[in-house]
Amino acid sequence: MEKEIVIICDFQEYDDENILQVITKASSLSNQCNCKVTVLCVGHKDSEQLDKFFQYGADNIVICKQNEPFDMTYFTNIISNMIKTRIPKVILVPESSNGKITASILSARFEVGLIAGCTDIQFDENNELSFLRTAFNSVTIAKNNCSNGEFIIATVKKDIFAKQMKAGQCSGMIEEVTYDDDMEKLSNSWGVLERIEKFEKKEMNNLNKVFCIGRGVKNQDNFEKICQIANKLHVGIVGTRAVVEAGYIEKERMIGQSGKMLASPIYVGFGVSGASQHMIGVKNAEIIVAINKDKNAPIFEYADYAIVDDVEAVLAELEKMAEG
Ligand SMILES: Cc1cc2nc3c(=O)[nH]c(=O)nc-3n(C[C@H](O)[C@H](O)[C@H](O)COP(=O)(O)OP(=O)(O)OC[C@H]3O[C@@H](n4cnc5c(N)ncnc54)[C@H](O)[C@@H]3O)c2cc1C
């Protein structure tokens, strides 16, 4: 099977210009690296629209009908599943707010490099793909090559590339796939039921102790319990990127490489795995307490106090303590 340049098409924040521009660029790159151009779509779009993708250079379209209302977890699960059946050389994501989130989730899931907001894609002297993007407040252009992953993900802003229709009649393969994520929904899916403002919005810099919410907190019930205990004990709430993306905590409270540095001396992580991108933000903490049911979770390498247990069991104990 030939390698592919895969483009993620998001019909939620669909932007005709951007997707066609990215397909055009992918098509010109594909001639140089002997790849096919495949567009992965989730949702419903008419056949006229899909024909356009072929006219601008797509070789394959894989479409998964989305019956559920849009949900980021569901969307990225479908896209991840589709990617697993392909052999991507590079994944290009037209930038939209969903696109940026999708790209970062895929990059973390597949453990591959992500180039955000690339301004050009070229072949270097070794015929390897390199991605340009502005750096240092746009005063310089950085050239990025990624060699440590099976493929690479790049997001592309609108109007970076020109769109161009191919000459002559264009057609390609359309494949329809289905996805059943019931199993994952039961165990692993979060939905935003309401925006929670239930913890006191203390200034991050003045917090002496924080509870950090990780994806292992699992559900709204546990989240609320942690917030209530935090309020009683005058503890602040922060979170990992997984929880921010699920809509539980606002971005300003995200700790880590893409968020804030923690200024509080005491950090208690609930269901936090301890990914390096998160732990960079915790490096100034004097005491790290970690609660995780997986004894091999990376956070335990940083923890001063390790509790290998289910978050719920620990919460039950903490509730009693907070009442007493
Ligand atoms: C370029 C880049 C930048 C990033 N920047 C940041 C950043 O700034 N901040 C950040 O946080 N992340 C960042 N990330 C994402 C980061 O890599 C991780 O994906 C993220 O931190 C994981 O969040 P988590 O620990 O909540 O979730 P997960 O990694 O899913 O971990 C959940 C943990 O909960 C445990 N668990 C599950 N159920 C239970 C239970 N019932 N009881 C106890 N434990 C349980 C699991 O064992 C697991 O260890 C970045 C990623 C990339 C690629």
Side-chain angles (χ1 to χ4, degrees):
M1 218 167 146
E2 265 172 302
K3 281 226 163 202
E4 292 163 295
I5 299 181
V6 170
I7 297 161
I8 309 283
C9 175
D10 159 25
F11 285 143
Q12 278 300 306
E13 289 183 331
Y14 185 75
D15 183 329
D16 203 41
E17 284 294 301
N18 200 2
I19 183 96
L20 297 178
Q21 290 164 359
V22 175
I23 292 175
T24 305
K25 180 65 186 177
S27 171
S28 79
L29 292 170
S30 71
N31 296 332
Q32 258 176 287
C33 61
N34 228 354
C35 284
K36 293 273 181 216
V37 176
T38 299
V39 185
L40 303 185
C41 314
V42 179
H44 303 268
K45 214 64 193 172
D46 53 49
S47 56
E48 210 176 295
Q49 191 61 48
L50 300 182
D51 278 346
K52 251 194 195 174
F53 294 173
F54 292 129
Q55 285 157 16
Y56 282 82
D59 299 297
N60 306 307
I61 296 173
V62 186
I63 184 154
C64 182
K65 296 254 161 69
Q66 187 180 25
N67 300 319
E68 306 277 326
F70 184 82
D71 165 271
M72 187 45 83
T73 313
Y74 181 66
F75 179 76
T76 46
N77 284 351
I78 296 174
I79 293 286
S80 298
N81 254 37
M82 287 161 123
I83 290 171
K84 283 181 200 153
T85 65
R86 323 294 318 173
I87 315 179
K89 182 177 178 68
V90 52
I91 296 182
L92 300 178
V93 188
E95 263 194 25
S96 60
S97 56
N98 285 343
K100 286 195 253 183
I101 296 174
T102 304
S104 55
I105 293 175
L106 294 177
S107 152
R109 245 180 225 182
F110 289 93
E111 296 186 351
V112 296
L114 166 64
I115 311 229
C118 74
T119 52
D120 201 1
I121 309 171
Q122 308 168 340
F123 283 92
D124 64 16
E125 52 287 358
N126 303 318
N127 212 28
E128 293 294 332
L129 278 177
S130 50
F131 298 77
L132 306 191
R133 67 184 297 254
T134 56
F136 300 120
N137 250 345
S138 304
V139 294
T140 187
I141 306 261
K143 187 173 166 190
N144 302 271
N145 293 65
C146 272
S147 52
N148 59 347
E150 277 179 44
F151 55 88
I152 181 164
I153 301 179
T155 65
V156 184
K157 285 195 171 68
K158 191 175 173 181
D159 296 331
I160 293 291
F161 302 120
K163 65 172 187 181
Q164 193 176 5
M165 247 190 189
K166 291 186 103 177
Q169 276 283 356
C170 299
S171 61
M173 285 267 297
I174 298 186
E175 191 185 330
E176 281 208 24
V177 296
T178 51
Y179 174 66
D180 175 8
D181 77 338
D182 274 357
M183 292 298 293
E184 280 167 70
K185 273 216 170 130
L186 286 174
S187 61
N188 200 21
S189 179
W190 295 44
V192 182
L193 301 178
E194 59 176 318
R195 292 265 156 195
I196 304 278
E197 304 287 356
K198 294 198 171 164
F199 52 92
E200 281 176 46
K201 291 199 169 178
K202 299 184 182 79
E203 262 307 305
M204 292 258 296
N205 289 340
N206 302 332
L207 297 173
N208 193 27
K209 307 179 199 88
V210 291
F211 286 170
C212 182
I213 314 270
R215 203 192 326 247
V217 164
K218 292 273 189 219
N219 57 43
Q220 174 106 10
D221 224 29
N222 291 337
F223 175 67
E224 287 198 24
K225 279 183 191 163
I226 296 177
C227 292
Q228 279 160 12
I229 297 168
N231 272 345
K232 278 193 189 147
L233 301 179
H234 308 292
V235 174
I237 294 282
V238 292
T240 64
R241 176 146 136 189
V243 175
V244 170
E245 281 168 359
Y248 272 67
I249 289 182
E250 70 269 42
K251 195 162 178 237
E252 292 66 39
R253 278 166 199 279
M254 179 168 91
I255 299 298
Q257 178 181 323
S258 340
K260 294 231 162 93
M261 296 296 288
L262 188 73
S264 325
I266 303 177
Y267 165 102
V268 185
F270 289 84
V272 174
S273 61
S276 58
Q277 296 91 350
H278 176 72
M279 296 313 290
I280 283 171
V282 186
K283 70 175 187 195
N284 294 330
E286 286 161 27
I287 299 177
I288 297 178
V289 183
I291 301 150
N292 196 306
K293 67 178 183 183
D294 174 6
K295 69 176 177 9
N296 297 318
I299 194 165
F300 289 136
E301 286 167 27
Y302 305 83
D304 299 288
Y305 297 93
I307 303 173
V308 182
D309 207 342
D310 198 292
V311 161
E312 286 188 16
V314 176
L315 279 180
E317 290 302 313
L318 270 178
E319 275 179 319
K320 282 188 221 153
M321 278 172 57
E323 259 150 39

